[in-house]
Amino acid sequence: MFAPETYAARRSALARQLDGLIVILGNDNVPMNYAGNVYGFRQDGSFLYYGGLDEPGLALTIDADTGESVLYGHEPTLDDAIWEGPMASLGDRAAAIGIPTTAVPDALEEAVASARHAGRTVHVLPPYRAVHKIRLAKMLDEDASSIQASEPLIDAVIAQRLVKSDEEVAEIEKAVALAKEVHELAMSLAHPGRTEWEIAGAIEGHLAGQGGFPAFPIILTKHGETLHNHASGAVLDAGDLLLIDTGAVVPGTRYASDITRVAPVGGTFSDRQRDVYQIVLDAQTACIEGMAPGVPFRDLHQLAGLTLTRGLQGLGLMTGDAEEAVAAGAHALFMPHGLGHPMGLDVHDMEGLGEDRVGYDDEFQRSDQFGTKYLRFGRRLDAGHVMTVEPGCYFIPALMDVWQREGKHLDFIDYDALSSWRDFGGVRLEDDVLVTDVGFRVLGPEIPKAPEAVETIIRAGASA
Ligand code: GLY
Ligand code: MN
Ligand code: MN
């Protein structure tokens, strides 16, 4: 956790933007198959931002008119001490986040009722868990399926959380350092005969051993053409291309990382694999180097498409004018997703507050073109933004078949040449990048990415 002053300053800054009563709900444990058997606990990102405490059963109010905050929760009981171990008093936990006032959980309902009775605005964030929808529906006399979240609160939280302070960036760099450890571990295990499950399990175990956990379900597959494919029992064969997209959540503050690398199983890229890898690496390098305050992220997404298109023209898979191809969206056959997304306490930072509210504005609206419509963030970058930059190149037989049948982009795609690429798989490269006052900084320690560096780590794993 950060110092209490950090959380107090964040709450004061938020309070200055609004009036009325702000409610921030912490998350609770979620049952897996019966009430007492729960998933690993995951705190809400906004609660972590304003209240730091990484435990269930808490809520916060911030009175925007007085600036006072209250932490709601249980005092530890004797049963808690017996079953869960000793726990700090609620007052001590509140003090750790700079809050002098505590109350029992039900007092939140009373505080909201009294604010509403007095005609004050009650601001809530959009709930994404059913228990919060039900709780807020009762508090606010609304339908649980259509809770009216506060747009001014959402916008104020987004503005604040999007710009990372130095101490937040330092936490993200720790998360990238953990990601480096597990990516190198996964590369060292990328050998024939291993299963995807074994390698994904090694990643989970390594993170757990450091007090962390994956920032999202691990994507680890020799079918990288399926964008979010999770590990299966598939056995790796020499010549497979293993895509590993994983990130860590750090102990303490719970900031995230999100990194993708691709490993040739056995340690040698084939010529085709190396060619496609290099095209994606060129696209990623161009986009990262283009990052600076004021640059629209959508322009960088288009730059990724252009670099990809030119590279694929070199392989004889695309034809025609590259800029026209990208304007028409033809490159999306190979990269049907966005260039990246903001990252912080949530791996897709604040996606729960509304993707378009985070990533688009009056100047940049979401495109409806296939491919670019999945871009989560199109607006101009600002100093302090942390973005993933993750171009990819995929050969997706189902998509190739539909486009060919529909005769799509015949001026730009050579479907005959593509027929021998159907089992290629996919390549994606992803790093986490800070926008600085003058440009960019790739966060964390360097994670092997040059093809030779990746091959070296894999080969060293064979003799381990
Ligand atoms: N890890 C999913 C993504 O890269 O967005
Ligand atoms: Mn990502
Ligand atoms: Mn990722």
Side-chain angles (χ1 to χ4, degrees):
M1 279 178 60
F2 297 124
E5 294 74 22
T6 291
Y7 299 105
R10 290 172 175 178
R11 292 190 300 270
S12 299
L14 180 64
R16 284 196 295 275
Q17 303 299 312
L18 300 165
D19 46 36
L21 186 71
I22 301 164
V23 176
I24 311 273
L25 297 178
N27 278 340
D28 297 309
N29 278 320
V30 177
M32 287 195 291
N33 51 341
Y34 54 91
N37 201 24
V38 297
Y39 290 104
F41 175 67
R42 190 75 167 92
Q43 186 56 288
D44 175 73
S46 291
F47 188 89
L48 281 171
Y49 187 81
Y50 296 105
L53 298 164
D54 186 23
E55 58 193 76
L58 300 173
L60 274 176
T61 53
I62 305 166
D63 188 319
D65 302 319
T66 64
E68 284 169 9
S69 298
V70 178
L71 178 70
Y72 301 83
H74 282 294
E75 288 295 350
T77 62
L78 183 58
D79 270 357
D80 290 332
I82 293 167
W83 290 91
E84 312 286 342
M87 193 192 234
S89 71
L90 189 62
D92 283 353
R93 284 177 278 155
I97 54 168
I99 295 185
T101 312
T102 63
V104 297
D106 290 352
L108 176 63
E109 274 69 7
E110 290 161 25
V112 168
S114 127
R116 295 179 72 218
H117 190 68
R120 301 177 70 208
T121 307
V122 175
H123 300 273
V124 301
L125 294 172
Y128 51 89
R129 288 193 176 187
V131 285
H132 282 174
K133 292 182 184 180
I134 293 166
R135 189 173 185 194
L136 290 175
K138 279 193 190 148
M139 271 192 238
L140 301 171
D141 280 329
E142 289 181 16
D143 189 316
S145 63
S146 56
I147 300 291
Q148 294 298 303
S150 158
E151 295 190 359
L153 175 61
I154 293 171
D155 288 342
V157 170
I158 289 171
Q160 215 176 342
R161 284 183 56 188
L162 209 45
V163 177
K164 271 65 178 179
S165 67
D166 290 348
E167 62 183 350
E168 291 182 279
V169 170
E171 291 300 306
I172 295 171
E173 296 209 87
K174 288 184 203 164
V176 177
L178 275 178
K180 173 184 166 79
E181 291 176 16
V182 293
H183 272 280
E184 291 183 350
L185 174 63
M187 286 176 196
S188 74
L189 295 173
H191 288 279
R194 298 259 186 204
T195 64
E196 294 174 359
W197 279 335
E198 260 182 281
I199 303 175
I203 291 174
E204 293 233 26
H206 187 87
L207 292 177
Q210 314 287 313
F213 49 79
F216 52 92
I218 295 169
I219 297 166
L220 189 145
T221 176
K222 60 188 214 174
H223 285 290
E225 76 278 11
T226 303
L227 303 182
H228 281 177
N229 217 8
H230 301 295
S232 74
V235 179
L236 303 186
D237 293 316
D240 286 340
L241 212 44
L242 183 67
L243 186 147
I244 307 147
D245 181 352
T246 189
V249 168
V250 284
T253 56
R254 298 305 186 200
Y255 282 81
S257 58
D258 184 7
I259 302 285
T260 306
R261 291 290 185 268
V262 171
V265 172
T268 307
F269 285 102
S270 70
D271 290 346
R272 273 193 173 182
Q273 288 170 346
R274 186 180 297 267
D275 286 344
V276 173
Y277 190 97
Q278 190 61 48
I279 291 169
V280 176
L281 185 53
D282 289 347
Q284 198 210 26
T285 306
C287 293
I288 290 175
E289 290 180 350
M291 291 178 79
V295 173
F297 199 64
R298 189 152 85 198
D299 288 0
L300 298 177
H301 172 84
Q302 297 302 92
L303 176 62
L306 192 61
T307 314
L308 204 64
T309 299
R310 291 198 171 121
L312 291 168
Q313 289 180 343
L315 296 183
L317 301 177
M318 292 188 76
T319 56
D321 181 90
E323 295 201 1
E324 282 176 21
V326 173
H331 65 292
L333 176 62
F334 303 96
M335 182 178 147
H337 64 70
L339 178 64
H341 49 84
M343 206 199 59
L345 283 162
D346 302 310
V347 68
H348 290 177
D349 212 19
M350 297 175 279
E351 196 162 291
L353 303 183
E355 239 176 74
D356 282 0
R357 293 192 89 90
V358 175
Y360 290 90
D361 56 15
D362 291 343
E363 189 183 4
F364 290 93
Q365 285 92 49
R366 186 183 286 263
S367 163
D368 57 8
Q369 186 183 69
F370 177 76
T372 303
K373 74 179 175 185
Y374 301 116
L375 179 63
R376 295 191 157 94
F377 190 99
R379 67 189 186 80
R380 290 180 192 276
L381 296 168
D382 232 330
H385 289 179
V386 171
M387 303 293 300
T388 67
V389 181
E390 48 178 310
C393 184
Y394 314 89
F395 295 81
I396 306 170
L399 185 59
M400 282 159 35
D401 289 345
V402 170
W403 277 32
Q404 183 167 20
R405 203 163 50 237
E406 292 177 356
K408 272 183 99 113
H409 301 302
L410 293 173
D411 291 346
F412 303 119
I413 296 167
D414 187 335
Y415 289 101
D416 288 340
L418 263 180
S419 60
S420 68
W421 289 75
R422 294 175 68 83
D423 62 355
F424 179 91
V427 171
R428 176 165 65 251
L429 291 172
E430 176 174 27
D431 285 286
D432 305 333
V433 184
L434 170 71
V435 180
T436 66
D437 288 338
V438 292
F440 67 91
R441 182 160 69 82
V442 179
L443 293 179
E446 197 175 329
I447 302 173
K449 189 164 58 172
E452 302 71 28
V454 173
E455 288 178 336
T456 301
I457 297 238
I458 299 171
R459 288 179 195 161
S463 52

mmCIF file of all heavy atoms in Angstrom, residues 75-93:
data_model
loop_
_atom_site.group_PDB
_atom_site.id
_atom_site.type_symbol
_atom_site.label_atom_id
_atom_site.label_comp_id
_atom_site.label_asym_id
_atom_site.label_seq_id
_atom_site.Cartn_x
_atom_site.Cartn_y
_atom_site.Cartn_z
ATOM 1 N N GLU A 75 -15.724 -4.837 12.480
ATOM 2 C CA GLU A 75 -14.596 -5.091 13.380
ATOM 3 C C GLU A 75 -14.330 -6.595 13.332
ATOM 4 O O GLU A 75 -15.276 -7.381 13.197
ATOM 5 C CB GLU A 75 -14.966 -4.710 14.827
ATOM 6 C CG GLU A 75 -15.055 -3.226 15.089
ATOM 7 C CD GLU A 75 -13.717 -2.488 14.940
ATOM 8 O OE1 GLU A 75 -12.666 -3.142 14.813
ATOM 9 O OE2 GLU A 75 -13.745 -1.247 14.919
ATOM 10 N N PRO A 76 -13.094 -7.013 13.445
ATOM 11 C CA PRO A 76 -12.848 -8.461 13.473
ATOM 12 C C PRO A 76 -13.521 -9.101 14.684
ATOM 13 O O PRO A 76 -13.531 -8.512 15.766
ATOM 14 C CB PRO A 76 -11.328 -8.562 13.596
ATOM 15 C CG PRO A 76 -10.787 -7.184 13.626
ATOM 16 C CD PRO A 76 -11.902 -6.198 13.529
ATOM 17 N N THR A 77 -14.111 -10.282 14.454
ATOM 18 C CA THR A 77 -14.785 -10.998 15.536
ATOM 19 C C THR A 77 -13.858 -12.094 16.057
ATOM 20 O O THR A 77 -12.815 -12.386 15.449
ATOM 21 C CB THR A 77 -16.071 -11.657 15.012
ATOM 22 O OG1 THR A 77 -15.668 -12.606 14.000
ATOM 23 C CG2 THR A 77 -17.019 -10.630 14.396
ATOM 24 N N LEU A 78 -14.302 -12.751 17.156
ATOM 25 C CA LEU A 78 -13.516 -13.872 17.685
ATOM 26 C C LEU A 78 -13.471 -14.988 16.642
ATOM 27 O O LEU A 78 -12.436 -15.627 16.439
ATOM 28 C CB LEU A 78 -14.140 -14.373 18.996
ATOM 29 C CG LEU A 78 -13.374 -15.507 19.687
ATOM 30 C CD1 LEU A 78 -11.928 -15.109 20.003
ATOM 31 C CD2 LEU A 78 -14.096 -15.936 20.976
ATOM 32 N N ASP A 79 -14.616 -15.211 15.953
ATOM 33 C CA ASP A 79 -14.629 -16.230 14.881
ATOM 34 C C ASP A 79 -13.585 -15.897 13.807
ATOM 35 O O ASP A 79 -12.894 -16.787 13.319
ATOM 36 C CB ASP A 79 -16.010 -16.290 14.219
ATOM 37 C CG ASP A 79 -16.925 -17.282 14.913
ATOM 38 O OD1 ASP A 79 -16.442 -17.951 15.858
ATOM 39 O OD2 ASP A 79 -18.101 -17.383 14.515
ATOM 40 N N ASP A 80 -13.501 -14.614 13.437
ATOM 41 C CA ASP A 80 -12.485 -14.226 12.428
ATOM 42 C C ASP A 80 -11.096 -14.606 12.925
ATOM 43 O O ASP A 80 -10.276 -15.138 12.170
ATOM 44 C CB ASP A 80 -12.511 -12.707 12.176
ATOM 45 C CG ASP A 80 -13.752 -12.255 11.432
ATOM 46 O OD1 ASP A 80 -14.295 -13.069 10.671
ATOM 47 O OD2 ASP A 80 -14.170 -11.096 11.628
ATOM 48 N N ALA A 81 -10.855 -14.296 14.212
ATOM 49 C CA ALA A 81 -9.522 -14.582 14.762
ATOM 50 C C ALA A 81 -9.246 -16.077 14.723
ATOM 51 O O ALA A 81 -8.128 -16.510 14.419
ATOM 52 C CB ALA A 81 -9.431 -14.049 16.187
ATOM 53 N N ILE A 82 -10.297 -16.898 15.013
ATOM 54 C CA ILE A 82 -10.100 -18.357 15.059
ATOM 55 C C ILE A 82 -9.887 -18.926 13.656
ATOM 56 O O ILE A 82 -8.988 -19.731 13.421
ATOM 57 C CB ILE A 82 -11.320 -19.027 15.736
ATOM 58 C CG1 ILE A 82 -11.379 -18.624 17.220
ATOM 59 C CG2 ILE A 82 -11.272 -20.555 15.581
ATOM 60 C CD1 ILE A 82 -12.680 -18.969 17.912
ATOM 61 N N TRP A 83 -10.718 -18.486 12.698
ATOM 62 C CA TRP A 83 -10.685 -19.104 11.366
ATOM 63 C C TRP A 83 -9.719 -18.409 10.406
ATOM 64 O O TRP A 83 -9.147 -19.041 9.537
ATOM 65 C CB TRP A 83 -12.091 -19.110 10.744
ATOM 66 C CG TRP A 83 -13.008 -20.057 11.442
ATOM 67 C CD1 TRP A 83 -13.828 -19.784 12.492
ATOM 68 C CD2 TRP A 83 -13.179 -21.455 11.164
ATOM 69 N NE1 TRP A 83 -14.506 -20.912 12.890
ATOM 70 C CE2 TRP A 83 -14.126 -21.966 12.078
ATOM 71 C CE3 TRP A 83 -12.626 -22.347 10.231
ATOM 72 C CZ2 TRP A 83 -14.537 -23.294 12.095
ATOM 73 C CZ3 TRP A 83 -13.048 -23.660 10.232
ATOM 74 C CH2 TRP A 83 -13.980 -24.134 11.154
ATOM 75 N N GLU A 84 -9.626 -17.091 10.533
ATOM 76 C CA GLU A 84 -8.833 -16.338 9.533
ATOM 77 C C GLU A 84 -7.530 -15.794 10.117
ATOM 78 O O GLU A 84 -6.671 -15.319 9.379
ATOM 79 C CB GLU A 84 -9.638 -15.143 8.991
ATOM 80 C CG GLU A 84 -11.072 -15.465 8.557
ATOM 81 C CD GLU A 84 -11.132 -16.226 7.248
ATOM 82 O OE1 GLU A 84 -10.130 -16.218 6.516
ATOM 83 O OE2 GLU A 84 -12.174 -16.855 6.988
ATOM 84 N N GLY A 85 -7.428 -15.758 11.431
ATOM 85 C CA GLY A 85 -6.219 -15.223 12.064
ATOM 86 C C GLY A 85 -6.435 -13.791 12.540
ATOM 87 O O GLY A 85 -7.473 -13.189 12.267
ATOM 88 N N PRO A 86 -5.434 -13.269 13.235
ATOM 89 C CA PRO A 86 -5.573 -11.916 13.775
ATOM 90 C C PRO A 86 -5.726 -10.886 12.656
ATOM 91 O O PRO A 86 -5.152 -11.051 11.581
ATOM 92 C CB PRO A 86 -4.255 -11.679 14.518
ATOM 93 C CG PRO A 86 -3.481 -12.950 14.445
ATOM 94 C CD PRO A 86 -4.145 -13.885 13.493
ATOM 95 N N MET A 87 -6.519 -9.879 12.922
ATOM 96 C CA MET A 87 -6.755 -8.849 11.904
ATOM 97 C C MET A 87 -6.769 -7.484 12.593
ATOM 98 O O MET A 87 -7.220 -7.373 13.739
ATOM 99 C CB MET A 87 -8.138 -9.122 11.283
ATOM 100 C CG MET A 87 -8.420 -8.369 10.021
ATOM 101 S SD MET A 87 -10.163 -8.533 9.628
ATOM 102 C CE MET A 87 -10.069 -9.123 7.992
ATOM 103 N N ALA A 88 -6.272 -6.464 11.907
ATOM 104 C CA ALA A 88 -6.252 -5.121 12.509
ATOM 105 C C ALA A 88 -7.690 -4.640 12.743
ATOM 106 O O ALA A 88 -8.612 -5.019 12.016
ATOM 107 C CB ALA A 88 -5.525 -4.160 11.572
ATOM 108 N N SER A 89 -7.844 -3.782 13.736
ATOM 109 C CA SER A 89 -9.169 -3.190 13.973
ATOM 110 C C SER A 89 -9.560 -2.350 12.753
ATOM 111 O O SER A 89 -8.694 -1.922 11.967
ATOM 112 C CB SER A 89 -9.129 -2.287 15.208
ATOM 113 O OG SER A 89 -8.372 -1.124 14.896
ATOM 114 N N LEU A 90 -10.862 -2.097 12.641
ATOM 115 C CA LEU A 90 -11.315 -1.276 11.505
ATOM 116 C C LEU A 90 -10.667 0.112 11.577
ATOM 117 O O LEU A 90 -10.271 0.677 10.552
ATOM 118 C CB LEU A 90 -12.850 -1.173 11.527
ATOM 119 C CG LEU A 90 -13.471 -0.524 10.298
ATOM 120 C CD1 LEU A 90 -13.181 -1.309 9.024
ATOM 121 C CD2 LEU A 90 -14.987 -0.360 10.501
ATOM 122 N N GLY A 91 -10.535 0.633 12.802
ATOM 123 C CA GLY A 91 -9.928 1.961 12.973
ATOM 124 C C GLY A 91 -8.488 1.989 12.475
ATOM 125 O O GLY A 91 -8.065 2.945 11.830
ATOM 126 N N ASP A 92 -7.746 0.921 12.774
ATOM 127 C CA ASP A 92 -6.345 0.883 12.314
ATOM 128 C C ASP A 92 -6.279 0.764 10.795
ATOM 129 O O ASP A 92 -5.413 1.353 10.139
ATOM 130 C CB ASP A 92 -5.599 -0.295 12.949
ATOM 131 C CG ASP A 92 -5.221 -0.004 14.394
ATOM 132 O OD1 ASP A 92 -5.418 1.157 14.824
ATOM 133 O OD2 ASP A 92 -4.756 -0.931 15.081
ATOM 134 N N ARG A 93 -7.212 -0.019 10.234
ATOM 135 C CA ARG A 93 -7.207 -0.157 8.764
ATOM 136 C C ARG A 93 -7.586 1.178 8.119
ATOM 137 O O ARG A 93 -7.021 1.571 7.094
ATOM 138 C CB ARG A 93 -8.154 -1.289 8.340
ATOM 139 C CG ARG A 93 -7.554 -2.667 8.606
ATOM 140 C CD ARG A 93 -8.510 -3.781 8.249
ATOM 141 N NE ARG A 93 -9.463 -4.010 9.326
ATOM 142 C CZ ARG A 93 -10.670 -4.546 9.165
ATOM 143 N NH1 ARG A 93 -11.086 -4.878 7.960
ATOM 144 N NH2 ARG A 93 -11.476 -4.733 10.187
#
